């Protein structure tokens, strides 16, 4: 199965808190427990390699970065 995940909250460095920490822990376990699936992680900026939790993770950097309120809506609400 191909699974796409918005991982915009996985920030570079050690800045994880709240939703980012939850996303990190949940995806880390899912990727390790389901090597038969391919996970497509959708980042809005350059990502930290430590978020490539296994060989079944394909990271993708998509623009634009979600730093402006209108861009935030585009990332999380869609068309």
């Amino acid at each position: 199965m191909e699974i796409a995940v918005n991982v915009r909250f996985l920030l570079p460095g050690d800045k994880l808190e709240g939703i980012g920490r939850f996303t990190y822990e949940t995806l880390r376990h899912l990727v390790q427990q389901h090597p038969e699936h391919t996970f497509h992680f959708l980042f809005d900026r350059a990502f930290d390699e430590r978020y490539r939790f296994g060989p079944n993770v394909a990271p993708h950097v998509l623009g634009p970065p979600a730093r402006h309120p209108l861009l935030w809506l585009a990332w999380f609400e869609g068309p």
Side-chain angles (χ1 to χ4, degrees), residues 49-72:
E49 279 294 325
R50 70 183 172 136
Y51 298 137
R52 196 183 292 229
F53 301 127
N56 55 334
V57 172
H60 306 277
V61 178
L62 307 173
R67 295 291 171 263
H68 185 277
L70 292 177
L71 297 176
W72 179 273

Side-chain angles (χ1 to χ4, degrees), residues 6-71:
N6 178 348
V7 291
R8 184 218 169 275
F9 288 109
L10 294 182
L11 301 173
D14 294 321
K15 301 176 185 176
L16 294 179
E17 57 185 44
I19 295 173
R21 174 59 60 191
F22 177 80
T23 302
Y24 176 87
E25 295 297 339
T26 302
L27 291 176
R28 186 171 59 89
H29 289 293
L30 280 173
V31 166
Q32 293 170 356
Q33 292 174 359
H34 296 282
E36 72 277 14
H37 301 310
T38 300
F39 294 84
H40 295 274
F41 285 5
L42 309 178
F43 292 92
D44 71 335
R45 71 182 81 72
F47 61 93
D48 191 326
E49 279 294 325
R50 70 183 172 136
Y51 298 137
R52 196 183 292 229
F53 301 127
N56 55 334
V57 172
H60 306 277
V61 178
L62 307 173
R67 295 291 171 263
H68 185 277
L70 292 177
L71 297 176

